Amino acid sequence: MSDFLRDLKQSIRMFLKSPGFTFTAVTALALGIAATTAIYSIVDAVVLRPLPIRDADRLVILLTNSVDQKGQPTSGPAASPVKFAFWRTLTNVLEDVSASNSIALNYTGSDKPQHLSGLEASLDTFKTWGIPILRGRAFSAAEDFPHGPHVAILSEKFWKTDFASDPQIVGKNIELNGDAYTVIGVSADNPAWVQFGPQADVIVPMQLDPNSTDVGNYFGAYARLKPGVTLEQAQAALAASTQRLRDRFPLAIRPKDTFTVKTYKEFLTGNTRPLLWVMLGAVGLVLLIACANVANLLLVRATGRRREIAIRAAIGAGRGRVVRQLLTESLLLSLAGGVIGVALGYAAIRALLAINTAGLPRLGENGAAVWIDWRLAAFAVGISFATGIIFSLFPALQGSRADLNAVLKDSSGRSGTGLRQNKARSALVVSEVGLAVVLLVGAALLIRTFVALYAVDPGFDPHNVLTMRMLLTGGKYQKTAGVQDAARDAVERIRAIPGVIDAAATDFIPLQVGAGLPFNIVGRAPVQGPFSGAGAWSPVGAGFFETFKIALKRGRFFTDRDDAKAPAVVIINEAMAKQFWKDGDPLQDRLAIGRGVQGEFADEPVRQIIGVVADVHNGALNVDTGPTMYVPITQTPDRLNAFLVRLLPISWAVRTQGDPYRVSAAAQEQLRQATGLPVTNVRSMDQVVELSTARQRFNMLLMTVFGAMALLLAAIGIYGLMAYTVEQRTQEIGIRLALGAETGQVRGMVMRQGMTLALIGVGAGLVAAWALAKLIESLLFGVKARDPLVFVAVPLTLAIVASVAVWFPAVRASRVSPMDSLRYE
């Protein structure tokens, strides 16, 4: 221990005597460990950290395996009442089968109506998720039956914030959506309980009819595997059971679809795993580059200390003692870099996640779930010490086995001169450049993906458009006439606001995933089972297409005259017209939409097609548009309208002359005056577009940062090696100049040596990047994994940067004074 303390004190003195070396080495390590810590903290929060649920590996989500329009396999979580009732009978593999659905609620019991996040949950939901009831009780069977009592369970957070943790809350009434609900319990908050939105404030019974014939998919179903049943056994049993339900309800599931299950954690994180593993691999390359830089510095430092080490050995220090001293210095260096790196990485990732969480699950609001726990701390400490040991061991061993006689006779203390004598350092620089090429290729591909996304025509003009949402609650909105009157009144009020160009009501705004429904073309034989086809379905108000500047290709738009008294009409998009009317005229045909799928569509009228509009992206910009049907919001049957207003908030879109937020306050006030209900989700369409590309922006930003770090570290590595080489060869260069060499020749000699290393690294990196590019193919859009432009631009960029890094040492070499160099020690 006393030897270790002496080594520690000596190391600190050595670092203080060489502040330039210390700063450079610690900075390089800190950058590498900061990037590694930041990405590992996200991977830990999303993938590695266990769900805070009892027996989380037995919690599963029930899915339907299908095939998309491109023939690719896909799994959908949407369930119907018929599916749910059937799954509850599969007691040989499943237990505690439950259903839940995120809904919006208006809390109308206070002075000012408040919008709440709600959840409809079936009888066994709390048991399925293992969420305790802190006060009161869970739902009873009678309360979960259709037309059962109005009861509610509050979340722990809502109970504390809005009811001041009232211990007498159970049994009290609260007003939701204009109706009185009796509070029967308070549930514990659980961050794993993530459905299709944030943590619910209030949970109400789902009240599904066990004898329902409704095959509409609009909620999620979950269960636990029975003890002793494996996931594979459950998947096989679910797949084998599919035909039994299809025989009873042919419309419940398409002919080639099958049932399956996934663990909830796999479902939650499945589509993010490729991204996270790619990022973890990328950050590993950054760490390797940083370590190579530090190893190069340590090699240079060990070479400069050859005489010191030889003197230590000459006066009795053993080889092990010398190695231990050098390792202590390196570990101290690594520890300093690790501590700074962890702090820097944690601060950087929290700042990034506060701006953009990329829709990654389990991160919490603004990345609140990302923190440093013992596993992350152990990972950072392990990385730091491994870096210190691995990348300092070679310099330490090399320095400790020097020939004492040769070193002590060498008055200059300098090693050999050429790159041949610096093979280890040259190899490290080549490695840095090669790894930098791999990262820069990845960054360039993701940048091109982001550019390609923004080049996609969304089919509408998002600029100067404000969107708002509102849940229409109250008896008058159960009828279509009530929604029609409210929509007309609100739109007229908003249009009267100075600066407003147009406004409209809609159930779904562009880039927001809507409902999918089958349809039949009247008079034409069905070709997809009992239907002609299927497509997105969206009720919209008059002025919707004008507000979003969606182009009319044929026919006409909806007007205020298309109300419940007028003939039923529908507008389709170009994709639907091209697919189903290749040689015909869609304006001559009628559609029957959703009939036989859901009871709420039983009164849906046959609709005349009156127009064809441009394709609009209803999901993401990187997803091809499919068939879409628009119907007037004022022509939905009363039964369907009552179903929609219960589950789906209505959206308001306002086009303005300038910044849409300038009219936000006035528009919200007019909506409140027209309806008496709270407004929520106030966003511009530009924000909606940004949110739709958040994941791609996140990918691009991280890889660009990593690529820039790699480029900087590689440039520093090349510069450091060539600067050191020039210093070592000062006498040789002076002799060359004294014998008549031109400055340009000396400069060219140094440039050739440096660029040779850079080009070898670029070549090796291109080969590796070409092989690894396919790994990020799933993250790309609008660009091929082996894009020729990227594979030409990246090596050119790195070659230019390398030439600049080599130029300065080359210029310095050409300016060496022969007289000074001959006296240089």
Side-chain angles (χ1 to χ4, degrees), residues 356-439:
N356 181 5
T357 60
L360 293 172
R362 305 188 66 196
L363 294 184
E365 187 175 357
N366 296 331
V370 178
W371 65 78
I372 296 181
D373 58 9
W374 68 269
R375 287 171 300 148
L376 186 57
F379 171 80
V381 170
I383 286 288
S384 301
F385 278 100
T387 300
I389 293 172
I390 295 172
F391 289 93
S392 65
L393 191 58
F394 176 69
L397 291 174
Q398 187 184 56
S400 66
R401 66 165 178 252
D403 183 351
L404 299 185
N405 289 327
V407 173
L408 292 174
K409 289 178 182 177
D410 185 359
S411 63
S412 69
R414 295 188 292 275
S415 61
T417 57
L419 290 179
R420 292 180 181 178
Q421 287 74 30
N422 295 323
K423 289 181 181 179
R425 293 189 287 277
S426 299
L428 287 171
V429 169
V430 169
S431 301
E432 288 183 55
V433 174
L435 295 174
V437 169
V438 174
L439 281 172

Side-chain angles (χ1 to χ4, degrees), residues 521-552:
I521 302 171
V522 176
R524 188 184 298 185
V527 292
Q528 297 183 17
F531 301 107
S532 300
W537 173 81
S538 183
V540 302
F544 169 82
F545 300 103
E546 295 91 332
T547 299
F548 284 102
K549 292 187 177 180
I550 299 172
L552 179 67

Side-chain angles (χ1 to χ4, degrees), residues 158 177 191 271 399 469 526 545 688 744 811:
F158 184 58
N177 294 349
N271 66 341
R469 301 184 76 187
F545 300 103
V688 174
V811 170

Side-chain angles (χ1 to χ4, degrees), residues 76 95 138 265 324-325 380 390 453 456 525 636-637 681 716 745 763:
E95 64 182 16
K265 183 177 179 181
R324 191 164 69 244
Q325 166 66 44
I390 295 172
L453 274 176
V456 171
T636 54
N681 284 72
I716 291 173
Q745 292 176 314

